[in-house]
Amino acid sequence: MSVLRFDNVSKHYAGGHQALVDVSFEVAAGEMLFVTGHSGAGKSTLLKLIHLSERPTRGAVLFGERNLLKVRGGKVALHRREVGAVHQDHRLLIDRSVGENVALPLILRGDRRADTGKRVRSVLERMGLGHREKALPTQLSAGEQQRVGIARAIVAEPRLLVADEPTGNLDPTLAAEIMALFAELPGRGTSVLVVSHDLPLLKRMRKRVLILDHGRLVDDISPQDLAE
Ligand code: ADP
Ligand code: ADP
């Protein structure tokens, strides 16, 4: 079963060039993969089409059985709740505690605050942050802040997690720690798509890598090929 499918997707911004040209690929349930390419290759555009902050000019994006062309209006917010997102700059609410930040997706989907505590604590513990629930984000290190961002992205058990340069601000050791946390998610039912241009990191991870070049998907490298 595929979690995500791009069928001949092109994206042409008004006044800009073609950001994506006839891109097709499929992400299986429980798969982790990377998307890489030069600046301007179309990586962010690809994420925006998944997130519905942009629409394709041609082609279709499918999320499970759902054709995203048909997701409009109020359904967009519902769709976004099923896609966890991690950003380079973590985007935590700085006036809320770590625990409150992580609880947010659960509150948004309608869980009562009293019911969120157990799940929030369990995700924070998996991220090695069990003792930081009451802290404010500004009291944490960069690596810890990024782990809070991941906790928030996965607390509602999305089918897909997308991460846009999640280790861009971290040193190589912290980056490797964050990647190890991502690599555990497929075993728990969340597929993971990471945009990164950190080639040494991609090589070490030995996962599938999609390469974009001027909007075209020019390579789809399997982990076996990377190992050679
Ligand atoms: P990447 O994330 O790989 O750096 P982007 O998806 O941001 O690439 O951009 C792909 C191409 O589309 C670039 O040429 C960029 O300038 C262009 N582009 C991105 N967003 C817009 C926009 N809102 N309007 C016009 N052109 C855009
Ligand atoms: P914008 O509307 O300018 O894209 P957003 O806050 O929606 O601003 O997203 C900023 C960046 O993070 C974009 O590149 C967007 O594609 C990506 N992003 C945010 N949330 C998600 C998500 N749930 N799925 C995919 N990409 C996301």
Side-chain angles (χ1 to χ4, degrees):
M1 225 271 290
S2 82
V3 166
L4 178 69
R5 204 170 99 203
F6 273 55
D7 275 346
N8 303 105
V9 171
S10 295
K11 173 66 183 178
H12 186 219
Y13 287 108
H17 1 238
Q18 291 270 102
L20 292 175
V21 185
D22 205 22
V23 169
S24 297
F25 66 93
E26 204 165 335
V27 178
E31 187 174 25
M32 174 164 173
L33 77 164
F34 290 92
V35 176
T36 193
H38 61 88
S39 172
K43 306 181 295 295
S44 303
T45 299
L46 189 141
L47 292 185
K48 286 179 182 172
L49 297 178
I50 298 169
H51 182 232
L52 291 181
S53 46
E54 291 290 349
R55 299 280 179 173
T57 313
R58 266 194 303 280
V61 180
L62 288 97
F63 184 72
E65 303 282 289
R66 182 181 306 157
N67 185 337
L68 297 190
L69 284 174
K70 296 185 182 148
V71 178
R72 305 235 161 226
K75 288 185 185 158
V76 169
L78 293 175
H79 166 71
R80 285 181 184 161
R81 280 187 216 157
E82 292 182 40
V83 182
V86 174
H87 308 276
Q88 178 166 6
D89 55 352
H90 64 72
R91 299 191 193 177
L92 301 173
L93 303 176
I94 55 169
D95 57 344
R96 303 291 177 87
S97 71
V98 163
E100 285 171 326
N101 268 281
V102 175
L104 209 61
L106 301 175
I107 303 289
L108 282 176
R109 75 173 187 193
D111 290 12
R112 288 184 311 159
R113 192 170 290 275
D115 298 333
T116 61
K118 205 170 149 211
R119 192 182 266 243
V120 166
R121 273 189 295 280
S122 123
V123 172
L124 283 174
E125 260 156 40
R126 267 167 63 200
M127 295 297 124
L129 291 169
H131 56 302
R132 299 305 246 157
E133 188 181 348
K134 298 276 191 296
L136 289 173
T138 48
Q139 298 170 316
L140 305 183
S141 70
E144 286 175 328
Q145 289 176 352
Q146 194 55 297
R147 270 144 55 202
V148 177
I150 297 172
R152 183 183 56 184
I154 63 173
V155 71
E157 299 179 341
R159 278 190 283 165
L160 178 67
L161 180 81
V162 295
D164 197 354
E165 300 285 359
T167 59
N169 292 329
L170 304 178
D171 69 43
T173 312
L174 287 176
E177 275 177 36
I178 296 293
M179 284 300 154
L181 293 171
F182 282 139
E184 285 176 16
L185 298 177
R188 294 168 166 269
T190 296
S191 301
V192 182
L193 186 156
V194 181
V195 166
S196 173
H197 59 239
D198 184 344
L199 285 182
L201 184 76
L202 298 197
K203 283 190 182 143
R204 279 202 306 278
M205 290 300 291
R206 304 212 165 160
K207 305 284 183 193
R208 179 181 175 197
V209 181
L210 304 184
I211 301 180
L212 286 174
D213 186 349
H214 295 93
R216 292 176 194 275
L217 181 57
V218 293
D219 217 340
D220 184 343
I221 307 171
S222 71
Q224 292 83 343
D225 293 341
L226 272 178
E228 281 162 15

